[in-house]
Each structure stands twice: as C-alpha cells, then as structure tokens.
Amino acid sequence: MSSDPKRSRARELAASHLARGDAVGWFEALYAEAGGDSAKVPWADLRPNPNFLDWIAAHRIDGNGRRALVVGCGLGDDAEFLASRGFQVTAFDIAPTAVDWCGKRFPQSTVRYEVGDLLSPAPGWRHAFDFVFEAYTLQVLPAELREQAMPKLADAVQPGGTLLLICRGRLPQDNEGQMPWPLLRSELSALERAGLSLEEFEEFWDRHDDPPVWRFRAGYSRPIVCGTLR
Ligand SMILES: C[S@@+](CC[C@H](N)C(=O)[O-])C[C@H]1O[C@@H](n2cnc3c(N)ncnc32)[C@H](O)[C@@H]1O
C-alpha cells in the first residue's frame, strides 16, 4: 500500500469505479473531489514533465506553428510548454473538471483545451498532428483498454509526424502491481502494428520521483508513404 494519502485515494476511487465496470470515471471523480487543490491530485506537479523537457532539449524541437496534440493533459503544464515552443496545441482530457481547471490556470492560453476520450477521438484528429505527446495516461488504463487506446494514439500522428510516449515500464518477470500499472515493452508493439515506426527507445530510473521509478520513453514516427503528401 502507498503511504501517500492522495495516491491511496486515487487507488480507492479507481478500484470502486472498476468494480462497477467503469475504468475511466474515477478521473473526473478525483479532480472534482480535489476542489481546485492540486495537492490532492497525485500527478499534478504544476510544471512540465522533466523527462519531456530533457527530450525536447536533446532534439532541439521547435513548433514553428506546427500542430501538436497532448493526450490526457491533466492540469495543462505540458500543453502550455509546447505552446511556448511555438506549437499550435490541442490538449484533451476525459475529465471535464481538469479541462476547466486548465482554463482557470491559463486564461490567456493559446492552447485549445477540450474534453475528449482517447478511446473515441474526434474524427478530425486522424493523421492531423505533427507532434503527439502522451505521458502517464496509458499506465492508468487497464491492459485491455491500453490495447484499444494505442491504435487511436497512433492514428493522430500525420505522415512524417512524431509520437512521444513516456510511461512506467516493467520486465516480463515483474508483477503488474497496482495502479498505475507499468507497461511491458512488448505492449508498445501495438503502436508499430498501427503503422508507426519506432525511432528511439530508452528505459531508465526516473530519479525525479522518490523512490525512483523505472520508465520507458519512446519516440515513433509515421512514415511518409509516396503519394500521401500531394
Ligand atoms: C496520470 S494522469 C497524467 C496527466 C498528465 N499527462 C501528466 O503527466 O500530468 C492521466 C490523465 O489522463 C486522463 N485520462 C484518463 N483516461 C483518459 C482517456 N481515455 N482519454 C483522455 N484522457 C484520459 C486523466 O483524466 C488524467 O488527467
């Protein structure tokens, strides 16, 4: 059991919703219960993800008006960071309270915040984004939903575009443990089956967390097929 009360509460909410056959309803319940206090949201650091910042710095990425999609955007820090780097950003979350909260935190934002479900994305998002970023959402979905979610994630990437994914990782011999559920590297092959090419894969101890967390950081691209860019 976690000694962190906010993480324990998230697990309680997740378990009670899952027991009713609802794998995603607990996110809204958690944000609503937090009542505007980010200290009650286990993943809310109120700063961009440091593993994302490292990757962006290493790749010297600039938006130049290109379109980016932030999946499961939470309180919006990664979306705002991408906007500050010149991307035209759409960011979505399944929890309406999280989306409202982003609007309150960043009233002047250029980011388009939307309520949306990764499992049922807007039709206009198909192959529409140069850059798609997902951190820590797949790992809070049960394995069968992750399997459904990965092709949707891949689908948003336009030919020549990039998907960056950061998640908890585990080895096949490791137990899945409790939510957040670390992913197996083999699960990520669903993204390649969905048409993306793996460009880079890192696994590392993330020492921004205490205790450190074993993470995967993977970059994918959608190949440009002759004739798709006419
Ligand atoms: C663990 S939090 C991570 C939030 C943010 N990416 C971050 O790193 O701070 C997962 C987020 O994904 C959202 N989420 C969960 N399932 C989702 C789905 N099916 N579609 C869109 N968002 C979802 C949750 O509401 C929550 O904000």
Side-chain angles (χ1 to χ4, degrees):
M1 281 297 275
S2 169
S3 57
D4 176 355
K6 56 182 184 297
R7 198 168 283 273
S8 301
R9 180 63 186 143
R11 286 184 175 137
E12 256 172 42
L13 285 171
S16 64
H17 280 77
L18 277 162
R20 301 200 293 268
D22 173 6
V24 293
W26 68 271
F27 300 104
E28 173 56 22
L30 185 142
Y31 283 114
E33 194 173 284
D37 179 0
S38 62
K40 295 196 170 139
V41 179
W43 47 83
D45 298 336
L46 306 185
R47 59 174 184 160
N49 182 325
N51 299 308
F52 177 40
L53 294 184
D54 290 349
W55 188 91
I56 290 276
H59 291 73
R60 297 198 181 91
I61 298 234
D62 264 311
N64 285 323
R66 293 179 301 149
R67 293 189 73 193
L69 181 70
V70 179
V71 175
C73 63
L75 297 190
D77 295 275
D78 296 327
E80 293 298 321
F81 170 72
L82 277 174
S84 76
R85 295 296 294 253
F87 282 94
Q88 197 190 319
V89 182
T90 299
F92 74 101
D93 201 286
I94 201 162
T97 299
V99 171
D100 283 353
W101 200 331
C102 291
K104 287 183 186 125
R105 285 188 71 206
F106 306 108
Q108 310 297 329
S109 180
T110 60
V111 175
R112 183 184 172 116
Y113 288 104
E114 294 185 12
V115 176
D117 182 354
L118 173 59
L119 297 163
S120 178
W125 291 356
R126 183 158 199 277
H127 293 193
F129 295 93
D130 291 285
F131 188 74
V132 177
F133 179 56
E134 141 53 11
Y136 311 158
T137 300
L138 290 177
Q139 66 187 34
V140 291
L141 298 176
E144 62 277 14
L145 288 192
R146 292 205 289 268
E147 202 180 319
Q148 293 170 34
M150 278 190 264
K152 314 280 186 188
L153 203 52
D155 222 36
V157 182
Q158 72 173 35
T162 299
L163 164 70
L164 179 66
L165 168 77
I166 307 177
C167 64
R168 287 181 181 237
R170 70 179 165 112
L171 296 170
Q173 63 269 28
D174 294 340
N175 197 295
E176 188 185 47
Q178 42 183 353
M179 194 284 299
W181 299 286
L183 275 75
L184 291 169
R185 182 172 179 179
S186 57
E187 287 182 75
L188 298 179
S189 58
L191 294 165
E192 290 162 88
R193 288 196 298 278
L196 301 186
S197 300
L198 179 65
E199 299 292 342
E200 55 188 303
F201 179 83
E202 298 161 272
E203 44 193 333
F204 59 97
W205 283 110
D206 181 357
R207 297 186 192 285
H208 298 103
D209 275 271
D210 184 18
V213 170
W214 188 247
R215 295 215 192 271
F216 296 158
R217 180 167 56 191
Y220 297 83
S221 66
R222 177 175 294 286
I224 296 174
V225 179
C226 253
T228 54
L229 285 187
R230 273 179 287 160

